[in-house]
Amino acid sequence: MKLITLIAFFVFTINTQLYAAVQSEMRSILKSYIQIIPYTSPDKKLDDKKLLKYLGELKESFKNTKHELYMKSPSFKSNITFINSNILHITKGVKLKHYGYAREQVKHLVSNCISCHAQLPSKKYDVITHKYADIIKDNIKTNYERGLFAYFLRDYEKAVEYLKKDISKLKDSYAQEERASQVLKIYTMSLKDFSKAKNFVEGLRSEKNNHIDKDLLSKWIKDLNEWSKVPNQKLKQKKISKLIKKYLTPIESSMQLGNQFSFQVIFYSMHGILSNYLLENPKTTLKTEILYWFGLLENTSPSIYSLGDLY
């Protein structure tokens, strides 16, 4: 009995230490992420030694995440390699004063963090935001930045609340379509709330300062009505194959052309389904096929959430 008690105590101690280590690493990553977000804005100068410091800290934090269970998933494993490469390109761009290139790489880094983090269960990490109140106050200042931060924390309701605020203030139709598509992605891929997504799109259609093509909005509403009836939880391999064949295969050639706003409801809905399935079934025989579709799906997304050719 004493031996069992001793073993139990030893296992509990190891697990507690491992959990604390993971929490510490994620807090460090979160801090760096908060500090890097503002550099996505053209108003923030990149010739800043602080940026290089934040990138170095982020890279160091990611070195210590390899024991985390989720990092062994196919879609996460390659992500860490991509992030480290991305950090290297930003650093080189800043040092060589190629600021335009470096800025785009910063955007992709933020996008990469969000895309990866959004695949985790919504309550995986209990982030206590008040611990970072000073950092948030100093770095997160616009609704767009608040939306990105909320999305990273998987507070999806808060993310769409912030991202929706400035859509009508954006000056051209493409910028509005891109931001609306980002909100649509959260509703369909993360929240899987097609009713709220539909209300959002219908609201855009009646918005006075909306410049988004009315036919596009009508297409989104039509697709949302259809996808609200499609099962999206705990699906078997046979069902996954059927969904791919029905929804993705017929538009594969269009997906290869890149961003296609008219198909976004299909793209995001399928991305959410495939992400969940692969996370729950990392050894599935569909892994290679799903990673191929991930590559196409990411390339059709607005750049702020796209992983592009990672897969």
Side-chain angles (χ1 to χ4, degrees), residues 229-243:
K229 303 170 187 176
V230 177
N232 54 38
Q233 300 287 345
K234 302 292 182 182
L235 303 180
K236 302 294 184 182
Q237 181 168 309
K238 188 175 181 180
K239 181 63 175 178
I240 294 293
S241 294
K242 285 184 177 179
L243 289 174

Side-chain angles (χ1 to χ4, degrees), residues 30 33-34 37 129 136 140 145-153:
L30 176 62
Y33 176 79
I34 293 171
I37 284 180
T129 55
I136 293 171
I140 308 296
E145 291 167 358
R146 293 185 188 100
L148 295 183
F149 181 58
Y151 193 13
F152 182 77
L153 298 183

Side-chain angles (χ1 to χ4, degrees), residues 60-75:
E60 194 62 32
S61 297
F62 274 117
K63 282 183 181 178
N64 301 317
T65 61
K66 293 179 180 178
H67 63 270
E68 167 63 288
L69 176 62
Y70 285 103
M71 294 304 169
K72 297 177 182 178
S73 170
S75 55

Side-chain angles (χ1 to χ4, degrees), residues 61-269:
S61 297
F62 274 117
K63 282 183 181 178
N64 301 317
T65 61
K66 293 179 180 178
H67 63 270
E68 167 63 288
L69 176 62
Y70 285 103
M71 294 304 169
K72 297 177 182 178
S73 170
S75 55
F76 281 89
K77 200 172 181 180
S78 52
N79 218 18
I80 296 300
T81 302
F82 183 82
I83 286 174
N84 286 326
S85 175
N86 195 223
I87 291 172
L88 178 63
H89 283 290
I90 298 170
T91 302
K92 284 186 175 180
V94 171
K95 287 182 176 179
L96 294 173
K97 298 184 179 182
H98 296 163
Y99 298 128
Y101 172 77
R103 179 90 63 197
E104 289 305 308
Q105 290 299 312
V106 171
K107 291 179 182 179
H108 288 308
L109 175 60
V110 172
S111 304
N112 196 14
C113 291
I114 291 175
S115 292
C116 190
H117 219 240
Q119 296 177 53
L120 292 170
S122 60
K123 295 183 180 179
K124 174 59 187 167
Y125 300 109
D126 182 20
V127 182
I128 306 174
T129 55
H130 73 265
K131 285 189 176 182
Y132 305 93
D134 292 340
I135 301 173
I136 293 171
K137 182 180 179 181
D138 292 339
N139 295 278
I140 308 296
K141 297 179 179 180
T142 68
N143 286 326
Y144 185 59
E145 291 167 358
R146 293 185 188 100
L148 295 183
F149 181 58
Y151 193 13
F152 182 77
L153 298 183
R154 297 179 305 288
D155 188 343
Y156 301 123
E157 295 286 359
K158 187 66 69 175
V160 294
E161 176 187 331
Y162 284 125
L163 290 173
K164 286 193 297 185
K165 282 186 176 181
D166 296 331
I167 291 180
S168 62
K169 297 179 183 178
L170 298 173
K171 300 187 183 301
D172 61 81
S173 60
Y174 184 85
Q176 287 190 348
E177 286 175 5
E178 188 175 50
R179 185 69 60 82
S181 183
Q182 292 165 3
V183 174
L184 189 67
K185 179 172 186 175
I186 298 174
Y187 274 133
T188 54
M189 182 176 166
S190 303
L191 288 171
K192 295 179 175 60
D193 193 329
F194 296 92
S195 177
K196 285 187 178 180
K198 182 181 175 182
N199 291 339
F200 164 65
V201 177
E202 288 178 338
L204 287 176
R205 195 159 56 172
S206 61
E207 170 65 45
K208 180 180 178 182
N209 295 319
N210 169 57
H211 303 299
I212 302 174
D213 183 76
K214 295 293 194 296
D215 290 337
L216 174 61
L217 296 177
S218 296
K219 176 69 165 56
W220 282 355
I221 291 172
K222 178 177 177 293
D223 288 344
L224 286 167
N225 284 330
E226 179 176 353
W227 274 91
S228 65
K229 303 170 187 176
V230 177
N232 54 38
Q233 300 287 345
K234 302 292 182 182
L235 303 180
K236 302 294 184 182
Q237 181 168 309
K238 188 175 181 180
K239 181 63 175 178
I240 294 293
S241 294
K242 285 184 177 179
L243 289 174
I244 290 174
K245 185 175 181 180
K246 180 177 181 179
Y247 290 107
L248 295 182
T249 303
I251 59 174
E252 182 176 4
S253 58
S254 296
M255 296 170 72
Q256 292 171 344
L257 297 176
N259 194 357
Q260 302 287 321
F261 283 119
S262 59
F263 294 123
Q264 293 297 40
V265 173
I266 298 175
F267 296 160
Y268 295 153
S269 301

